[in-house]
Amino acid sequence: LKNGERCVCDLTDLLDAAQSRLSFHLKVLREAGIVGCRKEGRWAYYWLRPEAFEILDEAAKDLHPTKAAVRASQAQCCE
C-alpha cells in the first residue's frame, strides 16, 4: 500500500493470502486508523493513511529506553 490505493483482490494475489483472512486484517488496520477504505461495487480499495504514521512518529519520539535496555544494548555479546 506504500505505493498507493490497491484493490483487495490485487492484495490477495500479491500476498498469497485468502480473501477472508486479508479482509479481517485490513478491517483491524482500518479500525486502528492506519488504512483507509472505499467500496466500489463489490470491491474494496485500501490505502495507507499518512496522518496515522505522523502520529506514530511523534509518539515514538517521546519514548525513552529504560536503564536496563541501555545496559543490555551495551553488554558484550561474545566475550
Side-chain angles (χ1 to χ4, degrees):
L1 297 177
K2 72 179 183 174
N3 294 323
E5 182 180 88
R6 300 291 296 258
C7 176
V8 72
C9 61
D10 295 331
L11 294 172
T12 57
D13 293 339
L14 182 67
L15 299 171
D16 192 28
Q19 189 272 332
S20 59
R21 176 176 285 198
L22 186 58
S23 291
F24 171 78
H25 288 289
L26 287 166
K27 176 182 174 243
V28 171
L29 292 170
R30 185 172 36 89
E31 290 173 350
I34 295 172
V35 299
C37 176
R38 72 176 178 87
K39 301 232 178 183
E40 188 173 305
R42 58 180 272 207
W43 300 112
Y45 293 84
Y46 291 88
W47 64 91
L48 294 175
R49 297 185 63 224
E51 62 274 14
F53 291 92
E54 292 168 9
I55 293 167
L56 289 170
D57 187 46
E58 285 300 314
K61 288 178 185 176
D62 293 334
L63 298 176
H64 301 285
T66 64
K67 290 179 183 178
V70 171
R71 281 193 304 273
S73 70
Q74 294 171 344
Q76 293 294 326
C77 165
C78 304
E79 293 181 14

